[in-house]
Amino acid sequence: DAASAAVGAAASAGAEMSAEEKKAMREEKKRQKEAEKAAKAARRAEEAAAAAQAAADLEALSTGIEFLSVESVPQQQYGSYALIQSKVDAEKGSGRKFVTVESLADVAPTSSGDGGVWVRARVANVRGKGRCVFLVLRQMRATVQAVLNEGPPRVP
């Protein structure tokens, strides 16, 4: 920035400058400030374009994915499911009563008699044996084993 050094040197000799030199110095400062503003605006425009592109890329990833409704009953016991992304009204909720894995021993059977409960956990391990699949579900430190049988669910 030789121009700013020249402006700074001229400013130190401000008493000795003519009116034309002072005017030239002010104009140079204005040009520098405008150049800084233009660079800042260009940087912000680039950031906004990058953010818009990232949002468009994210939207493109989710296009064509089938989502399950929280009100729908699963049509199959296991296999490939659509995503549920917890898109429910916060006031109404999903209507499902989730149970923590730690408290499963204390859960009474449901009134419908099917013994089913909703658990939100991650699958820690899967083993297949014959026509059964054994899942180890983990929620923080607690684990539970779930069994899936091929075919329709059997009510005890």
Side-chain angles (χ1 to χ4, degrees), residues 21-79:
E21 291 174 332
K22 288 181 182 180
K23 184 177 181 183
M25 186 176 72
R26 283 193 300 268
E27 288 176 3
E28 181 63 30
K29 283 185 180 181
K30 281 184 184 180
R31 276 186 289 231
Q32 284 179 353
K33 197 169 190 176
E34 288 172 5
E36 289 172 2
K37 284 183 182 181
K40 188 175 183 180
R43 189 181 73 244
R44 284 188 178 169
E46 286 176 9
E47 290 172 356
Q53 182 63 36
D57 291 345
L58 184 62
E59 183 66 29
L61 286 174
S62 64
T63 303
I65 295 177
E66 177 188 350
F67 294 100
L68 285 177
S69 168
V70 291
E71 288 84 23
S72 67
V73 177
Q75 300 299 315
Q76 60 196 39
Q77 271 192 300
Y78 55 90

Side-chain angles (χ1 to χ4, degrees), residues 33-152:
K33 197 169 190 176
E34 288 172 5
E36 289 172 2
K37 284 183 182 181
K40 188 175 183 180
R43 189 181 73 244
R44 284 188 178 169
E46 286 176 9
E47 290 172 356
Q53 182 63 36
D57 291 345
L58 184 62
E59 183 66 29
L61 286 174
S62 64
T63 303
I65 295 177
E66 177 188 350
F67 294 100
L68 285 177
S69 168
V70 291
E71 288 84 23
S72 67
V73 177
Q75 300 299 315
Q76 60 196 39
Q77 271 192 300
Y78 55 90
S80 296
Y81 277 101
L83 297 177
I84 293 178
Q85 290 193 328
S86 299
K87 293 183 178 180
V88 296
D89 185 8
E91 292 177 11
K92 288 192 242 176
S94 67
R96 297 177 180 167
K97 302 291 183 202
F98 287 94
V99 178
T100 62
V101 172
E102 284 183 334
S103 67
L104 276 174
D106 302 330
V107 175
T110 59
S111 60
S112 63
D114 65 359
V117 293
W118 285 98
V119 176
R120 194 175 275 153
R122 68 180 173 91
V123 177
N125 195 9
V126 179
R127 290 185 313 275
K129 181 78 172 167
R131 298 175 70 120
C132 294
V133 177
F134 298 93
L135 301 168
V136 177
L137 304 175
R138 184 177 185 102
Q139 188 182 59
M140 297 194 336
R141 295 177 309 187
T143 59
V144 66
Q145 184 174 19
V147 180
L148 296 172
N149 294 313
E150 189 175 322

